[in-house]
Amino acid sequence: MSTDDEERHHPLRDTMFTWMSFMLSVVSIPAFCFCYLTTSIGRFVLLRILKSKFPELEFIKSVSIRSAMDTPSNTGYIVVLLKVNGDFNVDLMRHTIQTDIVDKYDRTSGRLCFPHLRCCLTKKWMRYAWTKPSKNFSIDNHVIELVGKNTVTEDDIMQRVNEVITEGIPAELPQWQITVIPVDEGDTFYMLVRIHHLYASEDGIGLSELLLLKPDDLNWKQPGGGGGGGGGEDDDDDDRP
């Protein structure tokens, strides 16, 4: 067959390939729909069984890729290391987080804005669930200051951070923690924030709330500490008649 004949057959071959791909896609639609329905029904039935078997737990309905990939040795945490210039008062910081975040209520519904910050996480049959709010919840277990022999220098801060992350958060505690790491030189400290990804996806809590990044919320620093903006109003220099 000549080259001209091959070139004339190319459009026909492309057309056949397009039609075959289209027909294969159409035939596959029922199979995809069947798989979707089977998976949805299976999840619904499994969730009903889990709720009846473990009525004391609040199972998470949605299943994300991150949740499906979680293992005891590879749990998904959001980790942030923040350097802050200035002195701090850890007791005032704990009080602020307790009152403005953990115990914060929605004015419209009257419910807690972040209801699961007091709850631990568990897994049953590969599904995450919240336990009931812990009666022994203490903010001291979630806002921790490393003092004394644990203070570090700027040179070995990352080594200390890796040690804290490796230790992990005890399983019997709600899976979020803020570790304050003072630095020997100068008025500087680091904040290491660790929070399970489900607190962000289910409760909608952001790092801005947990870090108190709003100007009005930065009240856990010592008065006169570096980085704290003045709260007074600027004087008006305009001459008034």
Side-chain angles (χ1 to χ4, degrees), residues 28 83 122 149:
S28 301
K83 181 179 180 180
T122 185
K149 63 179 182 179

Side-chain angles (χ1 to χ4, degrees), residues 187-206:
D187 297 332
T188 303
F189 65 95
Y190 285 85
M191 290 176 59
L192 176 64
V193 181
R194 291 174 292 166
I195 181 170
H196 197 281
H197 64 88
L198 286 176
Y199 286 102
S201 61
E202 296 298 317
D203 277 8
I205 184 170

Side-chain angles (χ1 to χ4, degrees), residues 110-121:
R111 298 179 179 178
L112 287 171
C113 294
F114 310 113
H116 297 121
L117 287 178
R118 293 175 176 267
C119 302
C120 298
L121 273 169

Side-chain angles (χ1 to χ4, degrees), residues 76-82 84 93 97 100-101 114 117 169 175-179 191-201 203-215 217-218 220:
Y77 287 94
I78 301 172
V79 181
V80 175
L81 180 64
L82 183 68
V84 183
M93 182 179 179
I97 293 177
D100 293 354
I101 299 178
F114 310 113
L117 287 178
I169 303 174
Q175 295 298 291
W176 65 275
Q177 197 171 75
I178 300 175
T179 305
M191 290 176 59
L192 176 64
V193 181
R194 291 174 292 166
I195 181 170
H196 197 281
H197 64 88
L198 286 176
Y199 286 102
S201 61
D203 277 8
I205 184 170
L207 291 175
S208 59
E209 286 91 1
L210 210 56
L211 290 172
L212 305 176
L213 291 180
K214 297 178 182 179
D217 291 336
L218 289 176
W220 41 263

